[in-house]
Amino acid sequence: MSPFSISKATKLVRTLDDGTQVYEANLDPEWTVGSVPYGGYTLALVLNAAVNAQAKTEQPDPISISCHFLRALALSTAEIYVKTVRKGRQYTNLDITVIQKNAKTTSASLIFGDIDAPTTPGLTLPISHRPLCPLTTHPSAAVDTPGHPFFNFRNYFRIAVDPYFLSANDTLFETRADGLQWGAWVEFNDKDEILSADVSGIFLDMAKQLTALMPKDHPLRVAEFWWLPTLSMSIEYQTKMPLKGQFASRTLGVVSRYRELNEGRWSNSVELWTAPCAIGESSNDVEWREKMVCVARGGQLALIMSREKNDRYAAPRDIPSKL
C-alpha cells in the first residue's frame, strides 16, 4: 500500500511553446471504486499538477476549481496539461486537460491566489456571525464506521460518523425540511500524511451516498451497491492548506447535504471542516466547535448506475464516455 503522497504525485515532463506545462501521472490501482479510478483521486491528480505549476509563484494557493469528468480514466499513465489563461495581480486562471490514450478524459478551470492576502482589508464576517462547526459530536465520541466494500482504498482511512445526523435524517425524511444529511470525521490512517490542498477532493468525495441514507425499508436502499460515477465536482477554498496551529493534521469533518435525485442523477453540497484532534483522542475543551473553521465548500453532480457497468472497465479497453 503506497502512501497517498506517492499515489497522487505528478511529474513535469515537458513545456510546450505556448507555456503549457505537461505533467505525467501514473494511476494507482488501489485508488479505485470497483474497476474505475475514484473521482476524488482524479481530482487530486489534477490539483497536484496545478499546485506544482504554481508552487514558485506569488499565487500558490488554489482558490477554486470546477472539474468535469468526461470519460473514466484507465489504470495507466495519463498526461495533465496545465495552461495559464490569465495572470493578474491577485489571481491566476488556469485551464487543465487530462489526456489518456489520445482521448480527453477530464477538464478543469482553476483560480489561484494567495489565500491569506486580503482583497479588501477589514471586510471580514465577525466570528459572532459565522456558523458553528456543523458536526456536533467530538471526534472522541463519534461512531467508527467501516468503509464501503466497493472502495478499494478504504484501508487508507478511518471514518467516525456523528450520531446526530443518523437521528436527524429520520425527522428530515418525514418533514421534507432540508433534504438528507451526513456528517463524519474522516482521517488518514497513515500518521505521516498531510492535509494539503490537493487531497481536498478525496475528502469531499467521501460523503455517504444518498441512497444509503434512506430508511432501511425504502426500496432505494438497495442502491447501496450501485456505482456512482461523478460528472462534475467543484471546490471553493476558505482556509490555507496544509493546516496549522490547533487543528488535527490528518483529520477533517465532512458534512454533506442532499436535495435531489432525479431519474438516476443526483447532486449534493459538501463542507470540509477542521478537526480539534484525531479520531478517538479525548479533549476537555467544551468550546471546540467555536474554534473550528471551514476549510472548503463544494459539491458534485453524479449518476447512479448498475455495478455491472463499472465491471466492464476491468478488461483492457479504449476509453468510453460515461454516458
Side-chain angles (χ1 to χ4, degrees), residues 3-21:
F4 185 58
S5 56
I6 294 177
S7 299
K8 71 174 182 178
T10 59
K11 179 179 67 175
L12 179 65
V13 291
R14 65 184 183 277
T15 300
L16 305 184
D17 292 341
D18 65 355
T20 298
Q21 297 184 33

Side-chain angles (χ1 to χ4, degrees), residues 246-295:
Q246 61 186 331
F247 308 122
S249 63
R250 56 191 174 94
T251 312
L252 287 177
V254 182
V255 178
S256 181
R257 296 176 175 85
Y258 309 80
R259 290 189 174 89
E260 297 294 337
L261 172 58
N262 187 7
E263 300 296 336
R265 188 176 64 252
W266 63 277
S267 61
N268 70 343
S269 58
V270 184
E271 292 183 354
L272 303 181
W273 285 76
T274 56
C277 61
I279 295 171
E281 291 184 358
S282 59
S283 171
N284 295 322
D285 188 356
V286 296
E287 297 182 347
W288 64 269
R289 290 182 68 201
E290 286 84 351
K291 299 174 183 177
M292 298 303 101
V293 298
C294 183
V295 175

Side-chain angles (χ1 to χ4, degrees), residues 4-291:
F4 185 58
S5 56
I6 294 177
S7 299
K8 71 174 182 178
T10 59
K11 179 179 67 175
L12 179 65
V13 291
R14 65 184 183 277
T15 300
L16 305 184
D17 292 341
D18 65 355
T20 298
Q21 297 184 33
V22 183
Y23 289 81
E24 183 179 88
N26 294 304
L27 278 80
D28 188 334
E30 284 192 298
W31 286 91
T32 53
V33 177
S35 303
V36 178
Y38 183 50
Y41 175 52
T42 301
L43 187 59
L45 297 174
V46 168
L47 280 165
N48 185 264
V51 168
N52 286 339
Q54 287 291 116
K56 295 181 180 180
T57 72
E58 295 180 353
Q59 298 161 354
D61 304 317
I63 304 297
S64 73
I65 178 172
S66 177
C67 187
H68 293 80
F69 302 86
L70 311 179
R71 302 171 183 269
L73 283 163
L75 293 174
S76 62
T77 301
E79 289 192 327
I80 303 172
Y81 290 71
V82 182
K83 181 177 182 179
T84 300
V85 178
R86 178 183 179 274
K87 182 176 180 180
R89 279 192 246 175
Q90 289 188 307
Y91 300 106
T92 293
N93 297 78
L94 304 178
D95 276 351
I96 289 184
T97 302
V98 182
I99 303 290
Q100 191 178 60
K101 298 182 179 179
N102 298 316
K104 183 176 180 179
T105 66
T106 312
S107 65
S109 295
L110 302 90
I111 300 174
F112 271 72
D114 180 351
I115 207 165
D116 290 332
T119 300
T120 306
L123 193 59
T124 300
L125 197 65
I127 293 178
S128 59
H129 288 69
R130 296 181 194 176
L132 286 173
C133 175
L135 289 148
T136 63
T137 303
H138 191 273
S140 62
V143 180
D144 265 306
T145 304
H148 197 291
F150 206 24
F151 288 6
N152 297 321
F153 52 88
R154 59 190 177 276
N155 292 331
Y156 280 84
F157 292 98
R158 183 177 181 184
I159 301 173
V161 174
D162 185 341
Y164 164 78
F165 293 95
L166 300 178
S167 58
N169 277 334
D170 293 336
T171 302
L172 290 169
F173 190 74
E174 293 173 2
T175 63
R176 299 172 63 185
D178 195 29
L180 296 173
Q181 302 179 15
W182 182 82
W185 301 105
V186 180
E187 176 178 286
F188 276 120
N189 282 325
D190 187 345
K191 294 183 179 181
D192 292 328
E193 291 289 357
I194 297 174
L195 293 174
S196 53
D198 51 9
V199 308
S200 53
I202 291 285
F203 283 78
L204 185 143
D205 206 13
M206 290 288 286
K208 189 82 169 180
Q209 64 188 60
L210 168 60
T211 51
L213 301 176
M214 303 292 283
K216 292 183 179 180
D217 59 350
H218 196 284
L220 281 176
R221 187 64 180 256
V222 300
E224 189 166 353
F225 297 98
W226 288 2
W227 177 39
L228 282 72
T230 301
L231 293 180
S232 65
M233 192 180 301
S234 62
I235 305 175
E236 297 176 4
Y237 293 88
Q238 309 296 322
T239 304
K240 192 179 186 69
M241 299 176 75
L243 302 173
K244 297 179 180 179
Q246 61 186 331
F247 308 122
S249 63
R250 56 191 174 94
T251 312
L252 287 177
V254 182
V255 178
S256 181
R257 296 176 175 85
Y258 309 80
R259 290 189 174 89
E260 297 294 337
L261 172 58
N262 187 7
E263 300 296 336
R265 188 176 64 252
W266 63 277
S267 61
N268 70 343
S269 58
V270 184
E271 292 183 354
L272 303 181
W273 285 76
T274 56
C277 61
I279 295 171
E281 291 184 358
S282 59
S283 171
N284 295 322
D285 188 356
V286 296
E287 297 182 347
W288 64 269
R289 290 182 68 201
E290 286 84 351
K291 299 174 183 177

